[in-house]
Amino acid sequence: MLINFWYAAELSASLRDKPVKVRMLGQNFVVFRDSHGLARCLSNVCIHRCASLADGWVSGDRVVCPYHGWEFAGSGQCQRIPSLGPGQAPVPARVRVDSYPVQERYGIVFVFLGDLPEAERPPLMAVPEWDQPGWRCNTSEFSLKANYRRVVENALDPAHAEYVHVVGRRGQDPEYSVPAYDVQESEWGAGMEVRFRSQAGGFWKHFRDQSRETVAGTTFHGPSQFVTRIHIDRKMSVYQYAFDTPVDLFTTRSFLVSARNFFTAPLFDFVSERQNRVIVEEDRRVIEHLEPAVPFESSGADFSVKADAIQLCYRRRLKEWEARGWRIDTGRLAAVPPGTGLHVIPSPGRRELRGWQFPAVPLVAPTELPEGSQAARA
Ligand SMILES: [Fe+2]
């Protein structure tokens, strides 16, 4: 799992007047809305006696610890320790928890989990159709008991639909193959596209122009976000933007923004949601049972063919981001007996201030970037 990327934390609609506990990258966070309606995200453990801030409540712009009433602002700074009493010394500056940058878009609260200063942060994947006339977007959420890399590789895989999804013919088509494709790389990801004449399945088959080719492609952005663009025919298109958050090594929470340029009335959202659920359940039957649950480290440890080129590119890009020193050392974390230690995802504040109560998660040391890597070329 990688720090220094934006991750989807919660649906905006789920964040009302109570703090919410969110687990990401194997650690707990509290997400709350302050009195101005701004979403905030802090490390969840109070540095005093280690209570869960998410079990407390919101008071004005602060989240209040349920154990001793310590009040933390959105900056992470503690601003009130009730036991000090009135007229006592001010709260010491080092009484603070990590606070993470937040942006709220597309009906989702996104949190930057890492310590990079603003100018160096990889951007969030954009959804240009969100407020574009002629498009309708709806946001939904689901969970998978699978490692995030397994989830992303599944989405990037042009060969699985024929066997896993309702559009495919499961070996009944003697002409089936994955057409050759090019991988287009960009600063923070890569994508591909294939054209095929699909056996139209599902709801949309009644409306599409059956004589037309379908063009479909997927582009990943960072370690756990991707968009699948399906041009069903010349007029109808569906884009699926997935913001997948590693809850831990074995669980992925997926926030999906579906954009369509037909049946744009909101009342058709339920059709889009039903289609998405069908597809997710089809994938779930396979990817929750892959072994090992956490993919091999070496790209050559499982066997790949030509159609897997985009997945191999994804694996290579992950290695580049790991080489920057952004990978959490889950091996070292696993050596801590369960329930006996506490680590925190480092926030940008750790680069500016000294004196943090709890240690940051251990990271795999940076290495030389692999030759020919995107970052090395740039
Ligand atoms: Fe799939």
Side-chain angles (χ1 to χ4, degrees), residues 154 160 165 283:
N154 168 263
H160 84 288
H165 294 301
D283 283 323

Side-chain angles (χ1 to χ4, degrees), residues 41 50-51 61 74 119 126 151 186 195 202 214 240:
C41 179
C50 308
D61 292 337
V151 177
S186 59
R195 299 169 173 275
T214 294
Q240 303 277 23

Side-chain angles (χ1 to χ4, degrees), residues 151 154-157 160-161 164-165 279-280 282-284 287:
V151 177
N154 168 263
L156 291 174
D157 180 352
H160 84 288
V164 173
H165 294 301
I279 292 167
V280 168
E282 288 169 346
D283 283 323
R284 185 194 304 281
I287 65 170

Side-chain angles (χ1 to χ4, degrees), residues 35-46:
S35 66
H36 304 282
L38 272 181
R40 300 291 207 158
C41 179
L42 308 178
S43 171
N44 188 50
V45 182
C46 178

Side-chain angles (χ1 to χ4, degrees), residues 251-304:
T251 317
T252 302
R253 201 170 164 202
S254 189
F255 294 81
L256 203 61
V257 179
S258 302
R260 61 181 190 274
N261 67 351
F262 53 97
F263 296 115
T264 51
L267 71 99
F268 289 109
D269 286 356
F270 85 95
V271 183
S272 155
E273 269 158 36
R274 195 181 62 190
Q275 285 284 105
N276 293 344
R277 266 201 305 278
V278 168
I279 292 167
V280 168
E281 292 313 314
E282 288 169 346
D283 283 323
R284 185 194 304 281
R285 282 199 287 271
V286 175
I287 65 170
E288 289 193 348
H289 304 282
L290 303 179
E291 291 188 272
V294 180
F296 295 116
E297 283 312 314
S298 156
S299 241
D302 50 3
F303 197 87
S304 300

Side-chain angles (χ1 to χ4, degrees), residues 47-367:
I47 68 161
H48 172 224
R49 286 295 175 267
C50 308
S52 164
L53 295 176
D55 294 335
W57 57 93
V58 178
S59 171
D61 292 337
R62 304 173 187 170
V63 62
V64 184
C65 179
Y67 203 176
H68 303 92
W70 292 27
E71 297 183 8
F72 293 87
S75 64
Q77 193 63 51
C78 179
Q79 295 185 319
R80 185 164 178 257
I81 298 178
S83 64
L84 293 179
Q88 297 289 307
V91 175
R94 62 164 292 172
V95 184
R96 55 177 127 82
V97 294
D98 287 77
S99 165
Y100 305 88
V102 172
Q103 55 176 314
E104 203 164 354
R105 286 193 190 174
Y106 321 130
I108 299 167
V109 177
F110 293 98
V111 178
F112 185 79
L113 297 180
D115 60 356
L116 285 184
E118 192 170 358
E120 294 173 30
R121 290 173 203 156
L124 177 67
M125 177 172 68
V127 182
E129 295 78 18
W130 180 256
D131 44 18
Q132 208 165 289
W135 287 85
R136 168 72 189 172
C137 297
N138 59 296
T139 302
S140 55
E141 187 223 328
F142 57 90
S143 279
L144 288 159
K145 288 302 284 177
N147 180 275
Y148 76 97
R149 281 154 58 198
R150 296 286 197 200
V151 177
V152 176
E153 288 200 354
N154 168 263
L156 291 174
D157 180 352
H160 84 288
E162 181 71 8
Y163 283 85
V164 173
H165 294 301
V166 67
V167 293
R169 296 189 57 197
R170 292 176 180 250
Q172 297 308 300
D173 178 3
E175 299 294 302
Y176 168 76
S177 71
V178 173
Y181 62 83
D182 294 324
V183 174
Q184 301 286 339
E185 291 202 53
S186 59
E187 190 181 3
W188 293 107
M192 52 75 71
E193 199 174 81
V194 288
R195 299 169 173 275
F196 56 93
R197 206 165 285 280
S198 81
Q199 313 289 322
F203 180 81
W204 309 121
K205 73 179 171 205
H206 307 294
F207 303 97
R208 78 188 289 266
D209 176 352
Q210 298 282 355
S211 68
R212 295 284 169 197
E213 284 189 315
T214 294
V215 182
T218 303
T219 298
F220 67 89
H221 177 98
S224 67
Q225 299 175 2
F226 57 85
V227 52
T228 299
R229 295 190 180 89
I230 303 171
H231 303 277
I232 300 167
D233 61 18
R234 226 190 297 180
K235 290 197 210 106
M236 293 164 52
S237 295
V238 181
Y239 298 169
Q240 303 277 23
Y241 293 85
F243 301 90
D244 284 356
T245 300
V247 173
D248 54 36
L249 278 177
F250 308 102
T251 317
T252 302
R253 201 170 164 202
S254 189
F255 294 81
L256 203 61
V257 179
S258 302
R260 61 181 190 274
N261 67 351
F262 53 97
F263 296 115
T264 51
L267 71 99
F268 289 109
D269 286 356
F270 85 95
V271 183
S272 155
E273 269 158 36
R274 195 181 62 190
Q275 285 284 105
N276 293 344
R277 266 201 305 278
V278 168
I279 292 167
V280 168
E281 292 313 314
E282 288 169 346
D283 283 323
R284 185 194 304 281
R285 282 199 287 271
V286 175
I287 65 170
E288 289 193 348
H289 304 282
L290 303 179
E291 291 188 272
V294 180
F296 295 116
E297 283 312 314
S298 156
S299 241
D302 50 3
F303 197 87
S304 300
V305 291
K306 197 177 65 173
D308 303 321
I310 184 70
Q311 298 177 22
L312 296 181
C313 176
Y314 170 65
R315 292 178 180 187
R316 182 167 51 73
R317 300 303 294 275
L318 285 176
K319 291 287 173 211
E320 289 181 26
W321 297 322
E322 290 171 21
R324 296 182 187 218
W326 294 354
R327 181 175 181 165
I328 298 171
D329 192 339
T330 45
R332 258 163 81 195
L333 281 178
V336 180
T340 64
L342 178 69
H343 292 85
V344 176
I345 300 295
S347 64
R350 292 206 178 214
R351 297 230 182 163
E352 290 153 23
L353 301 168
R354 299 180 71 86
W356 294 84
Q357 195 65 37
F358 299 134
V361 288
L363 299 169
V364 177
T367 53

